[in-house]
Amino acid sequence: MASSRLRAFNSSVGTKILIGLTGLALFLYLIIHIAGNLMVFFGPAAFNKYAYTLEGNPLLPIVEIGLLLVFLIHVYKTVAMYIGNQRARPVRYVKKQFAGPPSPTRASCRSSSVTGWA
């Protein structure tokens, strides 16, 4: 049962889910880190208390190793997915050729993608 769950992360959809979850974890770490650094605006005493609390926490090395693992998994799975996508379609898509300047149209037609009016 557990191996089938782990095997799901080797599929395309599972890889994207894993990349999303690790990206979310990195984003949350960034928000928490910024919030901690903003303690400097509450004065030296508040920032020093925050720093000593972090420094004295015995879980800090475990969290740092976990953060490193999350980062490495995120990068590895992203690169592996990119390479897999390149191998799945070795022939690149054809780029559209420039057709020249736009034809004379009304301003309402040119702005219809923004305004919704034609």
Side-chain angles (χ1 to χ4, degrees):
M1 184 81 163
S3 67
S4 64
R5 288 182 189 154
L6 292 177
R7 213 174 321 127
F9 288 118
N10 289 330
S11 70
S12 177
V13 174
T15 297
K16 291 175 184 177
I17 290 172
L18 187 61
I19 290 170
L21 290 175
T22 55
L24 179 64
L26 292 170
F27 176 74
L28 290 175
Y29 167 77
L30 179 67
I31 296 300
I32 292 168
H33 185 72
I34 289 172
N37 284 337
L38 287 176
M39 295 294 288
V40 75
F41 293 114
F42 293 106
F47 186 75
N48 286 337
K49 182 179 178 186
Y50 166 73
Y52 290 134
T53 303
L54 277 183
E55 191 176 278
N57 192 339
L59 295 176
L60 189 61
I62 296 169
V63 171
E64 288 175 342
I65 291 170
L67 181 64
L68 177 64
L69 287 175
V70 166
F71 175 75
L72 291 176
I73 289 170
H74 184 77
V75 170
Y76 172 75
K77 290 303 249 182
T78 303
V79 170
M81 185 181 68
Y82 175 79
I83 291 171
N85 289 345
Q86 296 299 313
R87 286 185 183 150
R89 181 160 178 95
V91 178
R92 300 186 72 145
Y93 289 107
V94 176
K95 290 185 178 179
K96 291 184 178 181
Q97 297 295 323
F98 179 66
S103 61
T105 56
R106 297 185 317 232
S108 63
C109 291
R110 287 193 306 270
S111 64
S112 64
S113 62
V114 178
T115 63
W117 292 86

Short mmCIF file of all heavy atoms in Angstrom, two decimals, residues 6-76:
data_model
loop_
_atom_site.label_atom_id
_atom_site.label_comp_id
_atom_site.label_asym_id
_atom_site.label_seq_id
_atom_site.Cartn_x
_atom_site.Cartn_y
_atom_site.Cartn_z
N LEU A 6 3.88 5.93 -2.90
CA LEU A 6 5.14 6.54 -3.32
C LEU A 6 5.28 6.49 -4.83
O LEU A 6 5.87 7.39 -5.43
CB LEU A 6 6.32 5.83 -2.63
CG LEU A 6 6.42 6.03 -1.12
CD1 LEU A 6 7.59 5.23 -0.55
CD2 LEU A 6 6.58 7.50 -0.79
N ARG A 7 4.77 5.43 -5.45
CA ARG A 7 4.84 5.30 -6.90
C ARG A 7 4.01 6.38 -7.58
O ARG A 7 4.30 6.78 -8.70
CB ARG A 7 4.36 3.91 -7.32
CG ARG A 7 5.07 3.39 -8.52
CD ARG A 7 4.73 1.96 -8.89
NE ARG A 7 4.58 1.07 -7.76
CZ ARG A 7 3.51 0.30 -7.56
NH1 ARG A 7 2.52 0.30 -8.41
NH2 ARG A 7 3.44 -0.49 -6.50
N ALA A 8 2.99 6.87 -6.90
CA ALA A 8 2.15 7.92 -7.47
C ALA A 8 2.94 9.19 -7.71
O ALA A 8 2.63 9.95 -8.63
CB ALA A 8 0.97 8.20 -6.55
N PHE A 9 3.97 9.43 -6.92
CA PHE A 9 4.77 10.64 -7.10
C PHE A 9 5.73 10.54 -8.28
O PHE A 9 6.40 11.50 -8.62
CB PHE A 9 5.54 10.98 -5.82
CG PHE A 9 4.65 11.50 -4.73
CD1 PHE A 9 4.54 10.81 -3.54
CD2 PHE A 9 3.93 12.66 -4.89
CE1 PHE A 9 3.72 11.28 -2.53
CE2 PHE A 9 3.10 13.14 -3.90
CZ PHE A 9 2.99 12.44 -2.71
N ASN A 10 5.80 9.37 -8.92
CA ASN A 10 6.60 9.24 -10.13
C ASN A 10 5.78 9.50 -11.38
O ASN A 10 6.34 9.59 -12.47
CB ASN A 10 7.23 7.84 -10.20
CG ASN A 10 8.33 7.68 -9.17
OD1 ASN A 10 8.99 8.65 -8.82
ND2 ASN A 10 8.50 6.48 -8.68
N SER A 11 4.47 9.61 -11.24
CA SER A 11 3.63 9.94 -12.39
C SER A 11 3.73 11.44 -12.67
O SER A 11 4.23 12.22 -11.85
CB SER A 11 2.18 9.55 -12.11
OG SER A 11 1.63 10.41 -11.14
N SER A 12 3.23 11.84 -13.81
CA SER A 12 3.28 13.26 -14.19
C SER A 12 2.46 14.12 -13.22
O SER A 12 2.93 15.16 -12.75
CB SER A 12 2.75 13.42 -15.61
OG SER A 12 2.71 14.77 -15.98
N VAL A 13 1.26 13.65 -12.92
CA VAL A 13 0.40 14.42 -12.01
C VAL A 13 0.98 14.42 -10.60
O VAL A 13 1.01 15.46 -9.92
CB VAL A 13 -1.04 13.85 -12.02
CG1 VAL A 13 -1.89 14.54 -10.97
CG2 VAL A 13 -1.65 14.00 -13.39
N GLY A 14 1.47 13.26 -10.15
CA GLY A 14 2.07 13.17 -8.82
C GLY A 14 3.30 14.05 -8.69
O GLY A 14 3.52 14.68 -7.64
N THR A 15 4.10 14.12 -9.76
CA THR A 15 5.28 14.99 -9.75
C THR A 15 4.87 16.45 -9.62
O THR A 15 5.46 17.20 -8.84
CB THR A 15 6.10 14.78 -11.03
OG1 THR A 15 6.57 13.43 -11.06
CG2 THR A 15 7.29 15.71 -11.09
N LYS A 16 3.84 16.84 -10.34
CA LYS A 16 3.37 18.23 -10.26
C LYS A 16 2.81 18.54 -8.88
O LYS A 16 3.02 19.65 -8.36
CB LYS A 16 2.33 18.49 -11.34
CG LYS A 16 2.94 18.48 -12.73
CD LYS A 16 1.90 18.61 -13.80
CE LYS A 16 2.56 18.48 -15.17
NZ LYS A 16 1.61 18.54 -16.26
N ILE A 17 2.12 17.58 -8.29
CA ILE A 17 1.60 17.79 -6.92
C ILE A 17 2.76 17.94 -5.95
O ILE A 17 2.75 18.83 -5.09
CB ILE A 17 0.67 16.63 -6.52
CG1 ILE A 17 -0.63 16.71 -7.31
CG2 ILE A 17 0.39 16.66 -5.02
CD1 ILE A 17 -1.53 15.51 -7.14
N LEU A 18 3.77 17.08 -6.08
CA LEU A 18 4.93 17.16 -5.19
C LEU A 18 5.68 18.47 -5.36
O LEU A 18 6.09 19.10 -4.38
CB LEU A 18 5.86 15.97 -5.43
CG LEU A 18 7.02 15.82 -4.46
CD1 LEU A 18 6.51 15.63 -3.04
CD2 LEU A 18 7.88 14.64 -4.86
N ILE A 19 5.84 18.92 -6.60
CA ILE A 19 6.50 20.20 -6.85
C ILE A 19 5.68 21.33 -6.23
O ILE A 19 6.24 22.26 -5.62
CB ILE A 19 6.70 20.42 -8.36
CG1 ILE A 19 7.76 19.46 -8.89
CG2 ILE A 19 7.10 21.86 -8.67
CD1 ILE A 19 7.87 19.44 -10.41
N GLY A 20 4.37 21.25 -6.35
CA GLY A 20 3.52 22.28 -5.75
C GLY A 20 3.60 22.29 -4.24
O GLY A 20 3.68 23.35 -3.62
N LEU A 21 3.59 21.10 -3.62
CA LEU A 21 3.66 21.03 -2.16
C LEU A 21 5.01 21.53 -1.63
O LEU A 21 5.06 22.25 -0.64
CB LEU A 21 3.40 19.61 -1.69
CG LEU A 21 1.96 19.11 -1.85
CD1 LEU A 21 1.86 17.63 -1.47
CD2 LEU A 21 1.01 19.94 -1.02
N THR A 22 6.09 21.13 -2.30
CA THR A 22 7.41 21.59 -1.85
C THR A 22 7.56 23.09 -2.09
O THR A 22 8.16 23.79 -1.28
CB THR A 22 8.54 20.81 -2.53
OG1 THR A 22 8.40 20.89 -3.95
CG2 THR A 22 8.55 19.36 -2.09
N GLY A 23 7.00 23.58 -3.19
CA GLY A 23 7.03 25.03 -3.45
C GLY A 23 6.24 25.79 -2.40
O GLY A 23 6.67 26.85 -1.93
N LEU A 24 5.09 25.24 -2.00
CA LEU A 24 4.29 25.87 -0.95
C LEU A 24 5.05 25.87 0.38
O LEU A 24 5.04 26.86 1.11
CB LEU A 24 2.96 25.14 -0.79
CG LEU A 24 2.02 25.68 0.28
CD1 LEU A 24 1.59 27.10 -0.04
CD2 LEU A 24 0.81 24.77 0.43
N ALA A 25 5.73 24.77 0.68
CA ALA A 25 6.52 24.70 1.92
C ALA A 25 7.64 25.73 1.91
O ALA A 25 7.89 26.40 2.93
CB ALA A 25 7.09 23.29 2.11
N LEU A 26 8.31 25.88 0.78
CA LEU A 26 9.37 26.89 0.68
C LEU A 26 8.80 28.31 0.80
O LEU A 26 9.41 29.17 1.44
CB LEU A 26 10.13 26.73 -0.64
CG LEU A 26 10.96 25.46 -0.76
CD1 LEU A 26 11.46 25.29 -2.19
CD2 LEU A 26 12.12 25.47 0.21
N PHE A 27 7.64 28.53 0.22
CA PHE A 27 7.00 29.84 0.32
C PHE A 27 6.61 30.15 1.77
O PHE A 27 6.83 31.26 2.25
CB PHE A 27 5.77 29.88 -0.58
CG PHE A 27 4.99 31.16 -0.47
CD1 PHE A 27 5.48 32.33 -1.04
CD2 PHE A 27 3.78 31.20 0.19
CE1 PHE A 27 4.77 33.50 -0.95
CE2 PHE A 27 3.07 32.37 0.29
CZ PHE A 27 3.55 33.53 -0.28
N LEU A 28 6.05 29.16 2.46
CA LEU A 28 5.68 29.36 3.86
C LEU A 28 6.91 29.64 4.72
O LEU A 28 6.88 30.49 5.62
CB LEU A 28 4.92 28.16 4.39
CG LEU A 28 3.51 27.98 3.83
CD1 LEU A 28 2.90 26.68 4.34
CD2 LEU A 28 2.64 29.16 4.17
N TYR A 29 8.01 28.92 4.45
CA TYR A 29 9.25 29.19 5.17
C TYR A 29 9.69 30.64 4.93
O TYR A 29 10.10 31.33 5.86
CB TYR A 29 10.36 28.23 4.75
CG TYR A 29 11.71 28.69 5.24
CD1 TYR A 29 12.08 28.53 6.56
CD2 TYR A 29 12.59 29.35 4.39
CE1 TYR A 29 13.29 28.99 7.03
CE2 TYR A 29 13.82 29.81 4.85
CZ TYR A 29 14.16 29.63 6.16
OH TYR A 29 15.35 30.09 6.62
N LEU A 30 9.59 31.08 3.68
CA LEU A 30 10.00 32.44 3.35
C LEU A 30 9.16 33.47 4.11
O LEU A 30 9.70 34.43 4.66
CB LEU A 30 9.88 32.67 1.84
CG LEU A 30 10.24 34.06 1.34
CD1 LEU A 30 11.73 34.31 1.52
CD2 LEU A 30 9.85 34.21 -0.11
N ILE A 31 7.86 33.25 4.18
CA ILE A 31 6.97 34.17 4.90
C ILE A 31 7.33 34.20 6.39
O ILE A 31 7.42 35.27 7.01
CB ILE A 31 5.50 33.77 4.69
CG1 ILE A 31 5.11 33.91 3.23
CG2 ILE A 31 4.57 34.58 5.58
CD1 ILE A 31 5.24 35.30 2.67
N ILE A 32 7.54 33.02 6.98
CA ILE A 32 7.90 32.94 8.40
C ILE A 32 9.25 33.62 8.64
O ILE A 32 9.43 34.34 9.63
CB ILE A 32 7.91 31.48 8.87
CG1 ILE A 32 6.49 30.93 8.86
CG2 ILE A 32 8.53 31.34 10.25
CD1 ILE A 32 6.40 29.44 9.03
N HIS A 33 10.19 33.40 7.73
CA HIS A 33 11.52 34.01 7.87
C HIS A 33 11.43 35.53 7.79
O HIS A 33 12.07 36.24 8.58
CB HIS A 33 12.43 33.46 6.76
CG HIS A 33 13.84 33.91 6.87
ND1 HIS A 33 14.70 33.44 7.83
CD2 HIS A 33 14.56 34.78 6.12
CE1 HIS A 33 15.88 34.02 7.67
NE2 HIS A 33 15.81 34.83 6.65
N ILE A 34 10.64 36.03 6.85
CA ILE A 34 10.47 37.48 6.73
C ILE A 34 9.80 38.04 7.98
O ILE A 34 10.20 39.10 8.49
CB ILE A 34 9.67 37.82 5.45
CG1 ILE A 34 10.52 37.55 4.22
CG2 ILE A 34 9.20 39.27 5.46
CD1 ILE A 34 9.77 37.67 2.92
N ALA A 35 8.78 37.34 8.48
CA ALA A 35 8.09 37.80 9.68
C ALA A 35 9.06 37.86 10.87
O ALA A 35 9.01 38.80 11.67
CB ALA A 35 6.91 36.89 10.01
N GLY A 36 9.94 36.87 10.97
CA GLY A 36 10.93 36.89 12.04
C GLY A 36 11.90 38.05 11.91
O GLY A 36 12.25 38.70 12.90
N ASN A 37 12.32 38.32 10.68
CA ASN A 37 13.24 39.43 10.47
C ASN A 37 12.57 40.78 10.68
O ASN A 37 13.24 41.77 11.00
CB ASN A 37 13.86 39.36 9.08
CG ASN A 37 14.92 38.29 8.99
OD1 ASN A 37 15.51 37.89 10.00
ND2 ASN A 37 15.16 37.80 7.79
N LEU A 38 11.27 40.84 10.51
CA LEU A 38 10.56 42.11 10.75
C LEU A 38 10.49 42.45 12.23
O LEU A 38 10.09 43.57 12.59
CB LEU A 38 9.15 42.05 10.14
CG LEU A 38 9.10 42.12 8.62
CD1 LEU A 38 7.66 41.95 8.14
CD2 LEU A 38 9.68 43.42 8.11
N MET A 39 10.87 41.51 13.08
CA MET A 39 10.91 41.79 14.52
C MET A 39 11.89 42.91 14.84
O MET A 39 11.81 43.53 15.90
CB MET A 39 11.31 40.53 15.29
CG MET A 39 10.30 39.40 15.20
SD MET A 39 8.75 39.78 15.98
CE MET A 39 9.20 39.71 17.68
N VAL A 40 12.79 43.19 13.91
CA VAL A 40 13.77 44.26 14.13
C VAL A 40 13.06 45.61 14.29
O VAL A 40 13.57 46.50 14.98
CB VAL A 40 14.82 44.29 12.99
CG1 VAL A 40 14.25 44.87 11.72
CG2 VAL A 40 16.05 45.04 13.40
N PHE A 41 11.87 45.75 13.71
CA PHE A 41 11.15 47.01 13.81
C PHE A 41 10.44 47.18 15.15
O PHE A 41 9.91 48.25 15.43
CB PHE A 41 10.14 47.14 12.66
CG PHE A 41 10.81 47.27 11.32
CD1 PHE A 41 10.67 46.28 10.37
CD2 PHE A 41 11.58 48.38 11.03
CE1 PHE A 41 11.28 46.39 9.14
CE2 PHE A 41 12.20 48.51 9.81
CZ PHE A 41 12.05 47.51 8.85
N PHE A 42 10.42 46.13 15.97
CA PHE A 42 9.83 46.23 17.31
C PHE A 42 10.88 46.52 18.37
O PHE A 42 10.59 46.45 19.55
CB PHE A 42 9.07 44.94 17.65
CG PHE A 42 7.86 44.73 16.80
CD1 PHE A 42 7.85 43.79 15.80
CD2 PHE A 42 6.72 45.51 17.01
CE1 PHE A 42 6.74 43.61 15.01
CE2 PHE A 42 5.60 45.33 16.22
CZ PHE A 42 5.61 44.38 15.21
N GLY A 43 12.08 46.80 17.93
CA GLY A 43 13.14 47.18 18.85
C GLY A 43 14.15 46.06 19.07
O GLY A 43 13.89 44.90 18.77
N PRO A 44 15.31 46.44 19.61
CA PRO A 44 16.38 45.47 19.81
C PRO A 44 16.00 44.35 20.79
O PRO A 44 16.40 43.20 20.60
CB PRO A 44 17.55 46.29 20.35
CG PRO A 44 17.20 47.71 20.15
CD PRO A 44 15.73 47.80 19.96
N ALA A 45 15.23 44.69 21.81
CA ALA A 45 14.89 43.67 22.82
C ALA A 45 14.02 42.58 22.20
O ALA A 45 14.24 41.38 22.43
CB ALA A 45 14.18 44.32 23.99
N ALA A 46 13.04 42.98 21.41
CA ALA A 46 12.15 41.99 20.79
C ALA A 46 12.91 41.12 19.79
O ALA A 46 12.73 39.90 19.75
CB ALA A 46 10.99 42.69 20.10
N PHE A 47 13.78 41.75 19.01
CA PHE A 47 14.54 40.98 18.01
C PHE A 47 15.52 40.04 18.69
O PHE A 47 15.68 38.88 18.26
CB PHE A 47 15.27 41.92 17.06
CG PHE A 47 15.96 41.19 15.94
CD1 PHE A 47 15.22 40.68 14.89
CD2 PHE A 47 17.32 41.01 15.94
CE1 PHE A 47 15.84 40.01 13.85
CE2 PHE A 47 17.95 40.33 14.91
CZ PHE A 47 17.20 39.84 13.86
N ASN A 48 16.18 40.51 19.74
CA ASN A 48 17.12 39.65 20.46
C ASN A 48 16.40 38.48 21.12
O ASN A 48 16.92 37.35 21.13
CB ASN A 48 17.90 40.45 21.49
CG ASN A 48 18.96 41.32 20.85
OD1 ASN A 48 19.41 41.05 19.74
ND2 ASN A 48 19.34 42.39 21.54
N LYS A 49 15.22 38.72 21.68
CA LYS A 49 14.45 37.63 22.28
C LYS A 49 14.09 36.59 21.23
O LYS A 49 14.19 35.38 21.45
CB LYS A 49 13.20 38.18 22.94
CG LYS A 49 12.38 37.12 23.63
CD LYS A 49 11.15 37.71 24.30
CE LYS A 49 10.34 36.58 24.94
NZ LYS A 49 9.09 37.05 25.48
N TYR A 50 13.68 37.05 20.04
CA TYR A 50 13.36 36.15 18.94
C TYR A 50 14.60 35.35 18.52
O TYR A 50 14.53 34.14 18.32
CB TYR A 50 12.81 36.95 17.76
CG TYR A 50 12.74 36.20 16.47
CD1 TYR A 50 11.78 35.21 16.26
CD2 TYR A 50 13.63 36.46 15.43
CE1 TYR A 50 11.72 34.51 15.07
CE2 TYR A 50 13.57 35.77 14.24
CZ TYR A 50 12.61 34.80 14.07
OH TYR A 50 12.56 34.11 12.89
N ALA A 51 15.73 36.02 18.40
CA ALA A 51 16.97 35.35 17.98
C ALA A 51 17.41 34.32 19.02
O ALA A 51 17.82 33.21 18.65
CB ALA A 51 18.07 36.39 17.76
N TYR A 52 17.34 34.67 20.30
CA TYR A 52 17.74 33.71 21.34
C TYR A 52 16.79 32.52 21.41
O TYR A 52 17.20 31.40 21.69
CB TYR A 52 17.83 34.40 22.70
CG TYR A 52 18.99 35.36 22.81
CD1 TYR A 52 18.82 36.63 23.35
CD2 TYR A 52 20.26 35.01 22.38
CE1 TYR A 52 19.88 37.52 23.45
CE2 TYR A 52 21.32 35.89 22.46
CZ TYR A 52 21.12 37.13 23.01
OH TYR A 52 22.17 38.00 23.09
N THR A 53 15.51 32.77 21.14
CA THR A 53 14.55 31.67 21.12
C THR A 53 14.88 30.69 20.00
O THR A 53 14.85 29.48 20.19
CB THR A 53 13.12 32.22 20.93
OG1 THR A 53 12.84 33.14 21.99
CG2 THR A 53 12.10 31.11 20.94
N LEU A 54 15.21 31.22 18.84
CA LEU A 54 15.59 30.34 17.73
C LEU A 54 16.91 29.62 18.01
O LEU A 54 17.04 28.43 17.74
CB LEU A 54 15.75 31.16 16.45
CG LEU A 54 14.50 31.46 15.66
CD1 LEU A 54 14.86 32.22 14.39
CD2 LEU A 54 13.76 30.20 15.30
N GLU A 55 17.86 30.36 18.54
CA GLU A 55 19.19 29.78 18.79
C GLU A 55 19.13 28.67 19.82
O GLU A 55 19.85 27.69 19.73
CB GLU A 55 20.13 30.89 19.26
CG GLU A 55 21.57 30.50 19.29
CD GLU A 55 22.42 31.69 19.68
OE1 GLU A 55 22.72 32.51 18.79
OE2 GLU A 55 22.76 31.80 20.87
N GLY A 56 18.27 28.79 20.80
CA GLY A 56 18.18 27.80 21.86
C GLY A 56 17.26 26.63 21.54
O GLY A 56 17.13 25.71 22.34
N ASN A 57 16.62 26.65 20.38
CA ASN A 57 15.69 25.59 20.02
C ASN A 57 16.45 24.36 19.53
O ASN A 57 17.17 24.42 18.53
CB ASN A 57 14.74 26.09 18.93
CG ASN A 57 13.57 25.17 18.72
OD1 ASN A 57 13.62 24.00 19.06
ND2 ASN A 57 12.52 25.72 18.13
N PRO A 58 16.30 23.20 20.19
CA PRO A 58 17.03 22.00 19.75
C PRO A 58 16.51 21.42 18.44
O PRO A 58 17.19 20.62 17.80
CB PRO A 58 16.83 21.02 20.90
CG PRO A 58 15.58 21.47 21.57
CD PRO A 58 15.52 22.95 21.39
N LEU A 59 15.31 21.83 18.00
CA LEU A 59 14.76 21.34 16.74
C LEU A 59 15.27 22.08 15.52
O LEU A 59 15.01 21.68 14.39
CB LEU A 59 13.24 21.41 16.77
CG LEU A 59 12.53 20.52 17.79
CD1 LEU A 59 11.04 20.78 17.75
CD2 LEU A 59 12.84 19.07 17.53
N LEU A 60 16.01 23.17 15.73
CA LEU A 60 16.47 24.00 14.63
C LEU A 60 17.32 23.22 13.62
O LEU A 60 17.08 23.35 12.40
CB LEU A 60 17.22 25.23 15.14
CG LEU A 60 17.57 26.28 14.09
CD1 LEU A 60 16.30 26.83 13.46
CD2 LEU A 60 18.37 27.39 14.71
N PRO A 61 18.29 22.40 14.03
CA PRO A 61 19.06 21.63 13.02
C PRO A 61 18.18 20.67 12.23
O PRO A 61 18.38 20.49 11.03
CB PRO A 61 20.09 20.87 13.85
CG PRO A 61 20.20 21.62 15.13
CD PRO A 61 18.87 22.23 15.36
N ILE A 62 17.18 20.09 12.87
CA ILE A 62 16.28 19.17 12.16
C ILE A 62 15.45 19.93 11.14
O ILE A 62 15.26 19.48 10.00
CB ILE A 62 15.38 18.43 13.17
CG1 ILE A 62 16.25 17.55 14.07
CG2 ILE A 62 14.31 17.61 12.48
CD1 ILE A 62 15.53 16.98 15.26
N VAL A 63 14.98 21.11 11.52
CA VAL A 63 14.21 21.94 10.59
C VAL A 63 15.09 22.37 9.43
O VAL A 63 14.64 22.38 8.27
CB VAL A 63 13.61 23.16 11.33
CG1 VAL A 63 13.00 24.15 10.36
CG2 VAL A 63 12.59 22.70 12.35
N GLU A 64 16.35 22.72 9.69
CA GLU A 64 17.25 23.13 8.61
C GLU A 64 17.51 21.98 7.64
O GLU A 64 17.51 22.20 6.42
CB GLU A 64 18.58 23.63 9.20
CG GLU A 64 18.46 24.97 9.88
CD GLU A 64 19.75 25.39 10.56
OE1 GLU A 64 20.62 24.52 10.79
OE2 GLU A 64 19.89 26.58 10.85
N ILE A 65 17.70 20.78 8.16
CA ILE A 65 17.90 19.62 7.29
C ILE A 65 16.63 19.34 6.49
O ILE A 65 16.69 19.04 5.29
CB ILE A 65 18.34 18.39 8.12
CG1 ILE A 65 19.74 18.62 8.67
CG2 ILE A 65 18.28 17.11 7.29
CD1 ILE A 65 20.17 17.60 9.69
N GLY A 66 15.48 19.45 7.13
CA GLY A 66 14.21 19.27 6.43
C GLY A 66 14.02 20.30 5.33
O GLY A 66 13.56 19.97 4.22
N LEU A 67 14.37 21.54 5.61
CA LEU A 67 14.27 22.59 4.61
C LEU A 67 15.19 22.30 3.42
O LEU A 67 14.80 22.48 2.27
CB LEU A 67 14.62 23.94 5.24
CG LEU A 67 14.53 25.16 4.34
CD1 LEU A 67 13.10 25.38 3.88
CD2 LEU A 67 15.04 26.39 5.08
N LEU A 68 16.39 21.83 3.71
CA LEU A 68 17.32 21.47 2.64
C LEU A 68 16.76 20.33 1.79
O LEU A 68 16.82 20.37 0.55
CB LEU A 68 18.69 21.09 3.22
CG LEU A 68 19.73 20.63 2.20
CD1 LEU A 68 20.08 21.76 1.25
CD2 LEU A 68 20.97 20.12 2.92
N LEU A 69 16.18 19.32 2.44
CA LEU A 69 15.60 18.19 1.70
C LEU A 69 14.42 18.65 0.84
O LEU A 69 14.29 18.22 -0.32
CB LEU A 69 15.16 17.10 2.67
CG LEU A 69 16.27 16.29 3.31
CD1 LEU A 69 15.71 15.32 4.34
CD2 LEU A 69 17.07 15.55 2.26
N VAL A 70 13.57 19.51 1.38
CA VAL A 70 12.44 20.02 0.61
C VAL A 70 12.94 20.79 -0.61
O VAL A 70 12.43 20.62 -1.72
CB VAL A 70 11.54 20.92 1.50
CG1 VAL A 70 10.57 21.73 0.67
CG2 VAL A 70 10.79 20.07 2.50
N PHE A 71 13.97 21.61 -0.42
CA PHE A 71 14.54 22.37 -1.53
C PHE A 71 15.13 21.45 -2.59
O PHE A 71 14.89 21.63 -3.79
CB PHE A 71 15.61 23.34 -1.01
CG PHE A 71 16.33 24.08 -2.09
CD1 PHE A 71 15.71 25.13 -2.75
CD2 PHE A 71 17.62 23.73 -2.46
CE1 PHE A 71 16.36 25.81 -3.76
CE2 PHE A 71 18.28 24.42 -3.47
CZ PHE A 71 17.65 25.45 -4.12
N LEU A 72 15.90 20.44 -2.16
CA LEU A 72 16.52 19.52 -3.12
C LEU A 72 15.47 18.70 -3.87
O LEU A 72 15.60 18.47 -5.08
CB LEU A 72 17.51 18.61 -2.40
CG LEU A 72 18.77 19.30 -1.86
CD1 LEU A 72 19.63 18.32 -1.09
CD2 LEU A 72 19.56 19.95 -2.99
N ILE A 73 14.43 18.25 -3.18
CA ILE A 73 13.35 17.50 -3.84
C ILE A 73 12.66 18.40 -4.86
O ILE A 73 12.37 17.97 -5.99
CB ILE A 73 12.35 16.96 -2.81
CG1 ILE A 73 12.99 15.82 -2.01
CG2 ILE A 73 11.07 16.48 -3.48
CD1 ILE A 73 12.17 15.38 -0.80
N HIS A 74 12.41 19.64 -4.48
CA HIS A 74 11.75 20.59 -5.38
C HIS A 74 12.57 20.79 -6.65
O HIS A 74 12.03 20.71 -7.77
CB HIS A 74 11.53 21.92 -4.65
CG HIS A 74 10.77 22.93 -5.44
ND1 HIS A 74 9.41 22.87 -5.61
CD2 HIS A 74 11.18 24.03 -6.10
CE1 HIS A 74 9.02 23.90 -6.34
NE2 HIS A 74 10.07 24.61 -6.66
N VAL A 75 13.85 21.03 -6.50
CA VAL A 75 14.71 21.27 -7.66
C VAL A 75 14.83 20.00 -8.50
O VAL A 75 14.70 20.03 -9.73
CB VAL A 75 16.10 21.78 -7.22
CG1 VAL A 75 17.07 21.80 -8.39
CG2 VAL A 75 15.97 23.17 -6.60
N TYR A 76 15.06 18.85 -7.86
CA TYR A 76 15.25 17.60 -8.59
C TYR A 76 14.00 17.23 -9.39
O TYR A 76 14.09 16.90 -10.57
CB TYR A 76 15.60 16.46 -7.62
CG TYR A 76 15.62 15.11 -8.29
CD1 TYR A 76 16.67 14.75 -9.11
CD2 TYR A 76 14.57 14.22 -8.11
CE1 TYR A 76 16.68 13.53 -9.75
CE2 TYR A 76 14.57 12.99 -8.75
CZ TYR A 76 15.63 12.65 -9.56
OH TYR A 76 15.63 11.44 -10.20
#
